[in-house]
Amino acid sequence: MDSLIVRGGHRLDGTLRASGSKNAALPIMAATLLAQGVCRLERIPVLRDIATMLTLLSSLGATVSRAADGGVRIECDQACEVTAPYDLVKTMRASILVLGPLLARHGKAAVSFPGGCAIGSRPVDLHIQALEAMGAAISIEGGYILAEAPDGLLGTDFTFDITTVGGTENAVMAASLANGTTVLRNVAREPEIVDLVQFLRSMGAEITGEGTDILTIRGVPCLTGGTYSVMPDRIEVGTYLVAAAATGGRVRMTDIDPSVLGVITDKLRSAGASVREGDQWVECEMDGKRPQAVDIMTEPFPGFPTDMQAQFTALNAVAQGEARVTETVFENRLMQAHEMRRMGAHIVIEGNTAIISGQPSLQGAPVMASDLRASASLVIAGLVASGETRIDRIYHIDRGYENIEGNLQSLGADIQRVSG
Ligand code: UD1
């Protein structure tokens, strides 16, 4: 199993190009199940979760291939299988995103029930409720969600009890091929949902309201393939900007519209960083200063993203002052704090809040990655710590960061991947 060895103490300095967004690419790849003809998707990152989704689509009968330029070609015309098996779903929860498309296209689907995961119980009841409101009959048998709508789905008016990103994605994909108009209320407004809607529209879907909390979808009889370029990864970009701020350095990220970063840049400024933005670039510069402590509370978009919480925990661990980091989206997403304590961080957990007293320095230690973003935060902690940090279970990071060690090396970090 691979590990990362980080020798801290180097200020990051340099420029990186933003990758395509994992969290936009996965639902968009699932949505190709709705299309007749070939879909060419550009700017698909090279990540373990993307490979898993390609495997899932080909197990459903799709023809998939990767081009050398980072693009992916997917053709689902021969995709007649409707079962997403346990072995794939257990390695990637986003597999649940094929439920809505399979049901809408084939009138039935069987998707292994995703269990809990390291960051919480993560139920899918709202995905199921939305599809039931469209007329699907759904049961749970043998660990599988079995869904049927032999005469097709019907337009409906449905309100989500809680704002759910995945639930919104499943519902909007299914409604695209339903008979009649669907109104979805209290939907998630994340930029990745806007990207999915734009992709569906490019295939012929009739949808309005993306980026607001109401989506209106007029069902159409069929969708057709085409070419689409996935949005940049705002969480990857945010992670490198936080790494710049934590190490007192300067990092410029290109190929990204800075407006998608929203509150991430506001919080970096509150931490004392100078953040400059231009046409398709953003730069964070700390000029050797120690960051100021910055309070965080995670919320659905446009609030502070849960996927950036762990990275700001690392920043606060070496900041001047005391910060409160509160996680409201998932119940068990402060795991990184325990590992950071092993590196000398002063963090007390009270309920869903980490109270962090910033220290002038951290000390390298062997630590263990528990989930994707927690792994990224341990890398940041390692970059600022004195001595050597060994991060085990690094397969988590390969789910969501393309070539993280190569990118950080190009910014001047001392980081290596080792096997075994
Ligand atoms: C969430 C994040 C998303 C992030 C992703 C990966 C939010 C709102 N969503 O998306 O930004 O990229 O994790 O880290 O920040 N819930 C239910 N029933 C359901 C579905 C969800 O109770 O059927 C609850 C969840 O337990 C959670 C909340 O709703 O407390 C939001 O979950 P959801 O947005 O669905 O999670 P993801 O789609 O995984």
Side-chain angles (χ1 to χ4, degrees):
M1 224 183 283
D2 289 359
S3 304
L4 285 175
I5 307 283
V6 188
R7 289 178 197 86
H10 303 274
R11 279 187 201 167
L12 298 188
D13 188 12
T15 300
L16 293 175
R17 182 178 180 273
S19 308
S21 161
K22 170 181 87 73
N23 288 344
L26 292 173
I28 284 173
M29 290 166 75
T32 63
L33 287 165
L34 297 163
Q36 292 176 4
V38 174
C39 295
R40 285 187 185 76
L41 303 178
E42 295 167 353
R43 210 173 177 185
I44 299 290
V46 181
L47 298 171
R48 204 162 64 98
D49 276 6
I50 298 291
T52 306
M53 184 58 92
L54 286 171
T55 305
L56 174 56
L57 291 174
S58 53
S59 82
L60 295 169
T63 310
V64 305
S65 58
R66 244 203 189 276
D69 62 0
V72 166
R73 182 188 182 281
I74 304 173
E75 189 190 338
C76 294
D77 289 336
Q78 311 301 320
C80 316
E81 292 296 325
V82 293
T83 302
Y86 174 68
D87 281 351
L88 290 172
V89 178
K90 78 173 184 209
T91 60
M92 183 184 68
R93 291 182 49 86
S95 309
I96 187 72
L97 295 172
V98 301
L99 177 64
L102 286 174
L103 184 61
R105 182 91 185 261
H106 301 289
K108 58 182 176 178
V111 177
S112 177
F113 199 98
C117 70
I119 62 176
S121 63
R122 301 183 80 175
V124 291
D125 54 321
L126 300 171
H127 302 230
I128 292 172
Q129 279 176 25
L131 296 172
E132 282 176 339
M134 289 178 220
I138 301 188
S139 58
I140 313 288
E141 280 172 41
Y144 277 76
I145 302 168
L146 304 179
E148 280 195 31
D151 301 322
L153 295 168
L154 296 173
T156 189
D157 191 318
F158 178 80
T159 303
F160 286 96
D161 285 345
I162 302 175
T163 308
T164 153
V165 172
T168 301
E169 290 165 345
N170 246 330
V172 71
M173 290 188 282
S176 297
L177 288 185
N179 293 307
T181 297
T182 301
V183 180
L184 300 173
R185 300 178 196 274
N186 193 26
V187 296
R189 293 183 275 168
E190 267 68 359
E192 292 76 16
I193 296 207
V194 175
D195 211 35
L196 171 64
V197 168
Q198 285 170 355
F199 172 61
L200 291 167
R201 201 183 281 133
S202 77
M203 296 200 292
E206 296 191 14
I207 306 172
T208 55
E210 71 273 23
T212 75
D213 62 357
I214 300 180
L215 284 170
T216 304
I217 305 111
R218 202 170 76 80
V220 294
C222 71
L223 297 175
T224 50
T227 300
Y228 190 80
S229 182
V230 170
M231 67 174 284
D233 195 318
R234 65 192 169 104
I235 304 302
E236 181 204 41
V237 168
T239 301
Y240 287 117
L241 296 183
V242 171
T247 60
R250 181 199 66 91
V251 169
R252 177 180 287 221
M253 300 297 300
T254 66
D255 297 77
I256 175 145
D257 170 1
S259 68
V260 299
L261 294 169
V263 292
I264 300 172
T265 39
D266 298 342
K267 290 292 180 187
L268 283 166
R269 287 190 176 107
S270 303
S274 146
V275 182
R276 288 182 288 278
E277 299 174 356
D279 180 28
Q280 298 298 315
W281 62 267
V282 55
E283 182 177 282
C284 175
E285 178 158 18
M286 208 61 182
D287 214 9
K289 288 182 309 215
R290 189 173 163 198
Q292 298 294 318
V294 54
D295 290 341
I296 300 289
M297 182 176 300
T298 65
E299 284 172 325
F301 192 85
F304 187 88
T306 175
D307 280 349
M308 284 300 302
Q309 177 262 105
Q311 299 86 321
F312 271 86
T313 300
L315 181 80
N316 278 316
V318 290
Q320 208 142 24
E322 185 179 284
R324 297 176 70 84
V325 171
T326 303
E327 172 60 53
T328 74
V329 177
F330 293 114
E331 68 264 35
N332 190 25
R333 211 180 188 180
L334 296 169
M335 301 287 282
Q336 68 282 354
H338 304 292
E339 294 301 293
M340 283 178 199
R341 274 197 207 131
R342 308 188 62 252
M343 302 174 70
H346 285 210
I347 308 180
V348 175
I349 307 286
E350 277 181 13
N352 63 350
T353 299
I355 301 158
I356 306 158
S357 307
Q359 300 302 302
S361 65
L362 299 179
Q363 297 83 50
V367 290
M368 200 140 67
S370 56
D371 70 69
L372 168 56
R373 306 303 168 186
S375 322
S377 74
L378 294 174
V379 171
I380 295 171
L383 290 171
V384 293
S386 59
E388 183 176 293
T389 298
R390 181 189 178 102
I391 306 161
D392 288 334
R393 298 202 181 164
I394 208 64
Y395 54 86
H396 288 293
I397 217 164
D398 295 330
R399 288 188 37 229
Y401 292 90
E402 193 174 319
N403 189 22
I404 191 166
E405 68 274 23
N407 281 340
L408 287 170
Q409 282 161 5
S410 79
L411 299 174
D414 184 345
I415 178 168
Q416 262 99 40
R417 180 180 293 252
V418 293
S419 300

Short mmCIF file of all heavy atoms in Angstrom, two decimals, residues 260-290:
data_model
loop_
_atom_site.label_atom_id
_atom_site.label_comp_id
_atom_site.label_asym_id
_atom_site.label_seq_id
_atom_site.Cartn_x
_atom_site.Cartn_y
_atom_site.Cartn_z
N VAL A 260 -16.17 30.68 -8.75
CA VAL A 260 -16.73 29.43 -8.21
C VAL A 260 -16.17 29.11 -6.81
O VAL A 260 -16.70 28.26 -6.11
CB VAL A 260 -16.53 28.18 -9.12
CG1 VAL A 260 -17.21 28.35 -10.46
CG2 VAL A 260 -15.10 27.78 -9.25
N LEU A 261 -15.09 29.79 -6.43
CA LEU A 261 -14.50 29.50 -5.12
C LEU A 261 -15.31 30.10 -3.98
O LEU A 261 -15.25 29.63 -2.84
CB LEU A 261 -13.06 30.01 -5.06
CG LEU A 261 -12.10 29.28 -6.00
CD1 LEU A 261 -10.78 30.02 -6.09
CD2 LEU A 261 -11.88 27.85 -5.53
N GLY A 262 -16.07 31.16 -4.26
CA GLY A 262 -16.99 31.75 -3.27
C GLY A 262 -16.30 32.02 -1.94
O GLY A 262 -15.27 32.69 -1.88
N VAL A 263 -16.87 31.47 -0.87
CA VAL A 263 -16.39 31.79 0.48
C VAL A 263 -14.99 31.26 0.77
O VAL A 263 -14.37 31.68 1.74
CB VAL A 263 -17.35 31.25 1.56
CG1 VAL A 263 -18.66 31.99 1.54
CG2 VAL A 263 -17.58 29.76 1.40
N ILE A 264 -14.49 30.35 -0.06
CA ILE A 264 -13.13 29.81 0.21
C ILE A 264 -12.12 30.95 0.18
O ILE A 264 -11.27 31.09 1.07
CB ILE A 264 -12.75 28.72 -0.82
CG1 ILE A 264 -13.75 27.56 -0.75
CG2 ILE A 264 -11.33 28.22 -0.59
CD1 ILE A 264 -13.58 26.51 -1.86
N THR A 265 -12.22 31.82 -0.83
CA THR A 265 -11.26 32.93 -0.92
C THR A 265 -11.51 33.94 0.20
O THR A 265 -10.57 34.53 0.74
CB THR A 265 -11.30 33.61 -2.30
OG1 THR A 265 -12.64 33.68 -2.74
CG2 THR A 265 -10.48 32.89 -3.32
N ASP A 266 -12.78 34.14 0.58
CA ASP A 266 -13.07 35.06 1.70
C ASP A 266 -12.35 34.59 2.96
O ASP A 266 -11.76 35.38 3.70
CB ASP A 266 -14.58 35.12 1.99
CG ASP A 266 -15.38 35.64 0.81
OD1 ASP A 266 -14.77 36.27 -0.08
OD2 ASP A 266 -16.61 35.41 0.77
N LYS A 267 -12.42 33.29 3.21
CA LYS A 267 -11.79 32.76 4.44
C LYS A 267 -10.27 32.84 4.38
O LYS A 267 -9.62 33.07 5.39
CB LYS A 267 -12.24 31.30 4.67
CG LYS A 267 -13.69 31.16 5.08
CD LYS A 267 -13.94 31.73 6.47
CE LYS A 267 -15.39 31.58 6.90
NZ LYS A 267 -15.68 32.29 8.17
N LEU A 268 -9.71 32.67 3.17
CA LEU A 268 -8.25 32.81 3.05
C LEU A 268 -7.84 34.25 3.35
O LEU A 268 -6.83 34.50 4.01
CB LEU A 268 -7.79 32.41 1.64
CG LEU A 268 -7.74 30.90 1.39
CD1 LEU A 268 -7.62 30.60 -0.09
CD2 LEU A 268 -6.58 30.28 2.17
N ARG A 269 -8.66 35.19 2.88
CA ARG A 269 -8.35 36.61 3.18
C ARG A 269 -8.45 36.85 4.69
O ARG A 269 -7.61 37.53 5.27
CB ARG A 269 -9.31 37.53 2.42
CG ARG A 269 -9.00 37.57 0.94
CD ARG A 269 -9.78 38.68 0.21
NE ARG A 269 -9.38 38.73 -1.18
CZ ARG A 269 -10.13 38.31 -2.21
NH1 ARG A 269 -11.36 37.86 -2.00
NH2 ARG A 269 -9.67 38.38 -3.43
N SER A 270 -9.48 36.26 5.33
CA SER A 270 -9.62 36.43 6.79
C SER A 270 -8.40 35.85 7.50
O SER A 270 -8.04 36.30 8.60
CB SER A 270 -10.85 35.71 7.33
OG SER A 270 -11.99 36.17 6.68
N ALA A 271 -7.78 34.83 6.90
CA ALA A 271 -6.59 34.23 7.52
C ALA A 271 -5.33 35.06 7.27
O ALA A 271 -4.24 34.68 7.67
CB ALA A 271 -6.39 32.81 6.98
N GLY A 272 -5.50 36.18 6.56
CA GLY A 272 -4.36 37.09 6.36
C GLY A 272 -3.69 36.96 5.01
O GLY A 272 -2.69 37.63 4.74
N ALA A 273 -4.22 36.07 4.14
CA ALA A 273 -3.58 35.90 2.83
C ALA A 273 -4.00 37.02 1.90
O ALA A 273 -5.10 37.56 2.01
CB ALA A 273 -3.99 34.55 2.23
N SER A 274 -3.11 37.34 0.97
CA SER A 274 -3.49 38.26 -0.09
C SER A 274 -3.95 37.38 -1.27
O SER A 274 -3.19 36.57 -1.78
CB SER A 274 -2.27 39.12 -0.40
OG SER A 274 -2.24 39.42 -1.73
N VAL A 275 -5.23 37.51 -1.63
CA VAL A 275 -5.78 36.69 -2.71
C VAL A 275 -6.08 37.59 -3.89
O VAL A 275 -6.85 38.54 -3.77
CB VAL A 275 -7.08 35.96 -2.26
CG1 VAL A 275 -7.60 35.08 -3.39
CG2 VAL A 275 -6.83 35.12 -1.01
N ARG A 276 -5.41 37.31 -5.01
CA ARG A 276 -5.64 38.09 -6.23
C ARG A 276 -6.35 37.20 -7.25
O ARG A 276 -6.09 36.00 -7.32
CB ARG A 276 -4.32 38.60 -6.81
CG ARG A 276 -3.70 39.72 -5.98
CD ARG A 276 -2.41 40.24 -6.59
NE ARG A 276 -1.33 39.28 -6.43
CZ ARG A 276 -0.60 39.16 -5.31
NH1 ARG A 276 -0.83 39.92 -4.27
NH2 ARG A 276 0.35 38.25 -5.22
N GLU A 277 -7.23 37.83 -8.02
CA GLU A 277 -8.01 37.06 -8.99
C GLU A 277 -7.94 37.74 -10.34
O GLU A 277 -7.86 38.97 -10.42
CB GLU A 277 -9.48 37.00 -8.54
CG GLU A 277 -9.66 36.33 -7.21
CD GLU A 277 -11.11 36.40 -6.72
OE1 GLU A 277 -11.95 37.03 -7.38
OE2 GLU A 277 -11.37 35.81 -5.66
N GLY A 278 -7.97 36.95 -11.41
CA GLY A 278 -8.00 37.52 -12.75
C GLY A 278 -8.84 36.63 -13.64
O GLY A 278 -9.56 35.75 -13.15
N ASP A 279 -8.73 36.85 -14.95
CA ASP A 279 -9.49 36.05 -15.89
C ASP A 279 -8.92 34.63 -15.89
O ASP A 279 -7.80 34.41 -16.34
CB ASP A 279 -9.39 36.69 -17.28
CG ASP A 279 -10.18 35.88 -18.30
OD1 ASP A 279 -11.15 35.23 -17.90
OD2 ASP A 279 -9.79 35.88 -19.49
N GLN A 280 -9.64 33.69 -15.34
CA GLN A 280 -9.24 32.28 -15.30
C GLN A 280 -7.98 32.03 -14.47
O GLN A 280 -7.22 31.11 -14.75
CB GLN A 280 -9.05 31.73 -16.73
CG GLN A 280 -10.30 31.74 -17.57
CD GLN A 280 -11.41 30.87 -16.99
OE1 GLN A 280 -11.17 29.75 -16.58
NE2 GLN A 280 -12.63 31.38 -16.92
N TRP A 281 -7.73 32.84 -13.45
CA TRP A 281 -6.68 32.50 -12.50
C TRP A 281 -6.98 33.09 -11.13
O TRP A 281 -7.75 34.05 -11.02
CB TRP A 281 -5.29 32.94 -12.96
CG TRP A 281 -5.11 34.42 -13.15
CD1 TRP A 281 -5.27 35.12 -14.32
CD2 TRP A 281 -4.74 35.39 -12.15
NE1 TRP A 281 -5.04 36.45 -14.10
CE2 TRP A 281 -4.70 36.65 -12.78
CE3 TRP A 281 -4.43 35.34 -10.79
CZ2 TRP A 281 -4.38 37.84 -12.11
CZ3 TRP A 281 -4.10 36.51 -10.10
CH2 TRP A 281 -4.08 37.74 -10.77
N VAL A 282 -6.38 32.48 -10.11
CA VAL A 282 -6.49 33.00 -8.75
C VAL A 282 -5.16 32.71 -8.05
O VAL A 282 -4.54 31.67 -8.31
CB VAL A 282 -7.70 32.36 -8.00
CG1 VAL A 282 -7.64 30.85 -8.02
CG2 VAL A 282 -7.80 32.86 -6.57
N GLU A 283 -4.72 33.64 -7.21
CA GLU A 283 -3.42 33.48 -6.56
C GLU A 283 -3.55 33.79 -5.08
O GLU A 283 -4.22 34.75 -4.71
CB GLU A 283 -2.42 34.42 -7.20
CG GLU A 283 -1.03 34.29 -6.64
CD GLU A 283 -0.05 35.20 -7.37
OE1 GLU A 283 0.38 34.86 -8.49
OE2 GLU A 283 0.27 36.27 -6.82
N CYS A 284 -2.92 32.96 -4.26
CA CYS A 284 -2.92 33.17 -2.82
C CYS A 284 -1.47 33.37 -2.38
O CYS A 284 -0.63 32.52 -2.64
CB CYS A 284 -3.52 31.95 -2.12
SG CYS A 284 -3.46 32.02 -0.34
N GLU A 285 -1.21 34.50 -1.72
CA GLU A 285 0.16 34.79 -1.29
C GLU A 285 0.18 35.14 0.19
O GLU A 285 -0.61 35.96 0.65
CB GLU A 285 0.72 35.96 -2.12
CG GLU A 285 2.12 36.32 -1.68
CD GLU A 285 2.91 37.05 -2.73
OE1 GLU A 285 2.30 37.59 -3.66
OE2 GLU A 285 4.14 37.10 -2.59
N MET A 286 1.10 34.53 0.91
CA MET A 286 1.15 34.75 2.36
C MET A 286 2.38 35.55 2.77
O MET A 286 2.46 36.02 3.90
CB MET A 286 1.14 33.40 3.06
CG MET A 286 0.55 33.41 4.42
SD MET A 286 -1.17 33.94 4.41
CE MET A 286 -1.50 33.88 6.15
N ASP A 287 3.35 35.60 1.87
CA ASP A 287 4.52 36.45 2.09
C ASP A 287 5.24 36.12 3.39
O ASP A 287 5.70 37.02 4.11
CB ASP A 287 4.05 37.91 2.10
CG ASP A 287 5.10 38.83 1.51
OD1 ASP A 287 6.08 38.30 0.96
OD2 ASP A 287 4.95 40.06 1.64
N GLY A 288 5.33 34.86 3.71
CA GLY A 288 6.09 34.44 4.90
C GLY A 288 5.38 34.64 6.22
O GLY A 288 5.92 34.29 7.27
N LYS A 289 4.16 35.20 6.18
CA LYS A 289 3.46 35.48 7.45
C LYS A 289 2.83 34.20 8.01
O LYS A 289 2.50 33.28 7.26
CB LYS A 289 2.33 36.48 7.22
CG LYS A 289 2.79 37.90 6.96
CD LYS A 289 1.59 38.82 6.79
CE LYS A 289 0.63 38.30 5.79
NZ LYS A 289 -0.12 39.11 4.93
N ARG A 290 2.62 34.20 9.31
CA ARG A 290 1.86 33.11 9.94
C ARG A 290 0.37 33.41 9.75
O ARG A 290 -0.05 34.56 9.92
CB ARG A 290 2.23 33.07 11.42
CG ARG A 290 1.68 31.87 12.12
CD ARG A 290 2.23 31.83 13.56
NE ARG A 290 1.43 30.94 14.37
CZ ARG A 290 1.42 30.95 15.68
NH1 ARG A 290 2.19 31.80 16.34
NH2 ARG A 290 0.66 30.11 16.34
#
